[in-house]
Amino acid sequence: MARSRSSTTRLLYTLRSSIYPSSRSPTPPSPITALLHLHRHYSAAPAVRAKDDKEPWWKESMEKVRNIGISAHIDSGKTTLTERVLFYTGRIHEIHEVRGKDGVGAKMDSMELEREKGITIQSAATYCTWKDYQVNIIDTPGHVDFTIEVERALRVLDGAILVLCSVGGVQSQSITVDRQMRRYEVPRVAFINKLDRMGADPWKVLNQARKKLRHHSAAVQMPIGLEEDFQGLVDLVQLKAYYFHGSSGEKVVTEEIPADMQAMAAEKRRELIEAVSDVDDQLAEAFLSDEPISSADLEAAIRRATIARKFIPVFMGSAFKNKGVQPLLDGVLCYLPCPLEVDNFALDQAKKEEKVKLSGTPAGPMVALAFKLEERQFGQLTYLRIYEGILKKGDFITNINTGKKIKVSKLGRMHSDSMEDIQEAHAGQIVAVFGLDCASGDTFTDGSVKYTMTSMNVPEPVVSLAVSPVSKDSGKQFSKALNRFQREDPTFRVGLDPESGQTIISGMGELHLEVYVERIKREYKVDATVGKPRVNFRETITQRAEFDYLHKKQSGGQGQYGRVVGYMEPLPAGSETKFEFENMIIGQAIPSNFIPHIEKGFREAANSGSLIGFPVENIRVVMTDGASHAVDSSELAFRLASIYAFRQCYAKCKPVILEPVMLVELKVPTEFQGTVAGDLNRRKGIIVGNDQEGDDSVINALVPLNNMFGYSTALRSMTQGKGEFTMEYKEHSPVSADVQTQLINAHKPKTAE
């Protein structure tokens, strides 16, 4: 018995030693202790093993995903570059030029609306593979820089390529897109394109980017020859020369750096190391102690600095001549972040939109954003970016914006024009789902959390236009277009003018609506006639006034009788609601079943103020008394009584007109600052800020929207085309007395007709 016990102890000791080698001790433990160790190990082992197995599974998969956008000034070669990227990654099998004589045109080239939109990639997220990495190229809209759409596209990106023209340099649109990327904290690399063109000077463009865009950047490549002699590139990180052979530059040949360029390459490499050392401590240490810096160390430092948004590596090439695109793709993999390296925040609707940091791993609850909708032959195709968790085919997911539960019947990844079916997708990936009835910007979760990726507070539209199709036959296509745009963009609204019967579209600005009218024409082949832009004014009251109105009508049979007594007063500033109704009647002067109809009457009357016929806001109606008749009182009688009481009392409340005021940000060369400021004063604008950014002045002003129509043309002529502005809605505020009189006088003839 003693022998068997000691042999059991030895066995347990051996097992324990193999589990915990570091805890090997000269004296064997007691059998109980050994058993406890074994029990602890094996009860923990499944969890440990599962963790060890699971972590590499999603970690490796997520590290091989890049979600990038390509943006640039118009005509910098963005479409041509995207075309080459798709060709080299095997996404398309032949290259077509943008203005191709073959009549096909570039894959990515869409409609003449490019002027407003930059590129439009036909799929919102084009999926391609490069060296075992998944690269999703996401459409970044460059137009309408004051709507929700841009924010949404930039939310989906983890990194971006900023394309600059080696001849044109940093242009106005380059500044705009760079400003947007900075605002949404997108890490980026720059690509200086068109090195084959006459007058190409990449070093001039690099200096412009440093001065005008405030980029802390340096070249990671330098060209071998320029203009007609442009032959290839020198990689300053790996110290190799690349040449591009084959009919479409598909064969990349690596050689040693030409002897006559070695001195310049060494100088440019030192410049690169110095620039990165300024923002990366690890590299700075090696640089200051004069240690040799290996290519791997430099590459790692550039990656750290780029992801931290402290440095922008600059690549070079000519997309049209098929040179430099493959090294740029390598740069995207090397230097731009994977989804795990980007912080994403959601808003918790259960806690008043409190900001929540998402883990970004498949381990958390499923959270996804619908960032783009596409009309297909078999219904709506929705693009989802998954931020956290796993989405499987057949799962039920909840639309947080509408509260609806939806089944994922078909899950896929867009590959060329076909959809490749997949069974599941995890955080960091972009997928396409058929049959989701949702709007652009809706957030989906697995139901366990109430997160939204963007705020649900959609700003009210500020400009309206009357539109109607020229031909009556195209009415069906016209309404189809408007329905689609409403789903895509929550700031775009469609309504009917009750007086004229015209369709009224409303949005965030003149350009916003112009783009949609243009899209109706291009995408749905419907010519539309457009009325004059109309500002969405509001009315409000400034003081309290009493009302006491009796509505009495006898017309044989049952008459109408209803009396309402109370007062109207303005709501305090900053109120969440725009209309409040309170019943303070004590007793049964008016039967309680009539009260909702009295409220309905007041709300109806508030839809159209008596000054210029616009809705009345920030008003509180309080009922204090009333009277009813046993036979003649009815729902209609009290509704009419409240409408007439509102109109009678409204004039006594000293009403005023409110107009939308826009926050306008202008960026103009300093020499035009005086002219532009004078023009803003003439437009009744209030300048609230003036900063200097290099050679430019940045002016912030509050200007009434009514005085901003046609401003883009005026600004161009004042600044020789060098000024640019963005405009967003700030608030509605009272108009001056003279403007109020003008508006009332202009409204009178319409009501008299």
Side-chain angles (χ1 to χ4, degrees), residues 205-499:
V205 178
L206 182 57
N207 286 328
Q208 276 186 355
R210 286 170 180 162
K211 282 181 189 163
K212 289 190 178 179
L213 303 176
R214 293 278 183 277
H215 277 183
H216 184 76
S217 56
V220 290
Q221 294 173 340
M222 60 182 254
I224 301 170
L226 278 175
E227 299 176 1
E228 286 177 0
D229 304 325
F230 178 50
Q231 294 164 18
L233 295 162
V234 171
D235 185 331
L236 299 174
V237 178
Q238 305 294 343
L239 287 174
K240 295 282 180 197
Y242 298 135
Y243 297 93
F244 304 88
H245 299 311
S247 58
S248 303
E250 64 274 12
K251 291 186 190 123
V252 182
V253 178
T254 308
E255 292 181 14
E256 291 304 312
I257 299 171
D260 59 334
M261 294 189 71
Q262 284 186 350
M264 190 181 176
E267 184 197 322
K268 292 290 178 191
R269 189 174 199 259
R270 186 175 174 81
E271 202 178 287
L272 169 66
I273 292 168
E274 272 181 36
V276 181
S277 300
D278 287 347
V279 290
D280 186 79
D281 295 343
Q282 283 183 40
L283 192 73
E285 219 169 279
F287 178 63
L288 292 170
S289 52
D290 275 341
E291 290 172 20
I293 290 166
S294 70
S295 299
D297 289 346
L298 181 53
E299 197 172 278
I302 295 172
R303 179 175 176 77
R304 285 192 300 271
T306 306
I307 292 171
R309 300 188 310 282
K310 292 175 180 172
F311 179 74
I312 295 173
V314 179
F315 291 81
M316 299 182 186
S318 165
F320 184 65
K321 295 286 184 194
N322 309 315
K323 291 183 171 75
V325 178
Q326 296 96 321
L328 173 65
L329 278 167
D330 292 340
V332 164
L333 309 186
C334 281
Y335 305 133
L336 289 180
C338 73
L340 285 171
E341 294 166 307
V342 178
D343 288 343
N344 284 304
F345 293 90
L347 304 169
D348 192 346
Q349 296 302 322
K351 294 180 182 171
K352 292 193 174 176
E353 296 208 342
E354 187 185 299
K355 237 180 173 189
V356 181
K357 187 178 173 183
L358 298 175
S359 68
T361 67
M366 202 286 292
V367 179
L369 174 73
F371 67 94
K372 196 86 178 179
L373 312 175
E374 221 175 81
E375 287 296 326
R376 286 292 176 103
Q377 194 180 349
F378 304 109
Q380 181 178 299
L381 182 69
T382 307
Y383 287 91
L384 292 179
R385 157 82 199 250
I386 306 170
Y387 286 96
E388 195 171 89
I390 296 174
L391 178 64
K392 292 180 183 172
K393 189 177 172 179
D395 276 0
F396 280 92
I397 56 176
T398 305
N399 183 337
I400 298 299
N401 299 59
T402 62
K404 283 183 187 170
K405 220 173 182 190
I406 305 158
K407 186 179 180 183
V408 179
S409 52
K410 192 172 182 186
L411 187 65
R413 200 161 45 194
M414 293 314 290
H415 199 66
S416 235
D417 291 334
S418 59
M419 186 162 133
E420 177 193 324
D421 279 352
I422 53 174
Q423 293 304 308
E424 66 172 43
H426 58 71
Q429 291 185 329
I430 286 168
V431 291
V433 183
F434 257 120
L436 279 193
D437 184 25
C438 67
S440 184
D442 284 0
T443 306
F444 292 92
T445 72
D446 55 12
S448 62
V449 287
K450 283 193 84 174
Y451 292 168
T452 57
M453 291 308 296
T454 50
S455 175
M456 288 169 73
N457 302 327
V458 177
E460 286 291 313
V462 290
V463 182
S464 299
L465 275 180
V467 287
S468 55
V470 173
S471 141
K472 285 187 177 172
D473 303 336
S474 50
K476 192 178 174 187
Q477 284 292 87
F478 181 68
S479 55
K480 193 177 170 186
L482 294 182
N483 285 337
R484 177 188 157 195
F485 297 152
Q486 262 184 294
R487 275 209 307 274
E488 278 184 14
D489 184 353
T491 57
F492 178 76
R493 312 274 173 90
V494 180
L496 269 180
D497 186 334
E499 288 170 21

Side-chain angles (χ1 to χ4, degrees), residues 540-738:
T540 192
I541 56 173
T542 55
Q543 67 178 44
R544 175 178 158 154
E546 314 277 334
F547 60 81
D548 182 350
Y549 187 84
L550 172 64
H551 175 66
K552 193 175 175 185
K553 197 173 180 188
Q554 198 62 45
S555 54
Q558 186 185 351
Q560 291 178 10
Y561 184 95
R563 181 177 173 217
V564 289
V565 181
Y567 59 88
M568 292 189 336
E569 63 181 2
L571 280 168
S575 295
E576 285 185 13
T577 54
K578 292 176 180 177
F579 179 94
E580 263 183 35
F581 177 82
E582 201 172 333
N583 176 22
M584 292 180 73
I585 299 174
I586 296 161
Q588 284 286 313
I590 297 173
S592 57
N593 59 314
F594 292 134
I595 300 295
H597 297 280
I598 293 171
E599 181 179 353
K600 196 176 176 186
F602 277 113
R603 281 187 185 275
E604 203 176 300
N607 279 338
S608 173
S610 57
L611 293 178
I612 54 169
F614 278 90
V616 182
E617 282 186 354
N618 302 333
I619 186 167
R620 183 166 178 256
V621 178
V622 181
M623 286 285 295
T624 53
D625 201 1
S628 63
H629 187 276
V631 178
D632 290 352
S633 285
S634 65
E635 294 167 359
L636 176 67
F638 275 107
R639 194 162 68 85
L640 291 171
S642 49
I643 289 171
Y644 294 132
F646 182 92
R647 289 179 187 166
Q648 183 195 60
C649 181
Y650 188 61
K652 293 188 277 182
C653 292
K654 295 214 172 151
V656 292
I657 298 169
L658 302 174
E659 65 179 344
V661 172
M662 310 302 280
L663 177 61
V664 181
E665 186 183 285
L666 298 110
K667 198 166 189 185
V668 295
T670 308
E671 65 260 33
F672 304 113
Q673 186 183 346
T675 319
V676 171
D679 181 68
L680 285 174
N681 288 330
R682 197 175 53 74
R683 292 172 188 269
K684 298 189 174 167
I686 300 163
I687 294 172
V688 290
N690 194 343
D691 292 316
Q692 207 63 25
E693 243 184 51
D695 300 334
D696 293 336
S697 278
V698 179
I699 302 169
N700 288 300
L702 297 172
V703 192
L705 176 64
N706 210 21
N707 303 337
M708 286 297 288
F709 289 124
Y711 187 65
S712 50
T713 316
L715 184 67
R716 270 191 219 118
S717 60
M718 280 187 287
T719 61
Q720 298 169 9
K722 294 173 189 168
E724 56 171 57
F725 78 102
T726 58
M727 183 166 76
E728 56 188 69
Y729 169 71
K730 179 82 167 65
E731 62 190 359
H732 270 80
S733 62
V735 300
S736 56
D738 59 322

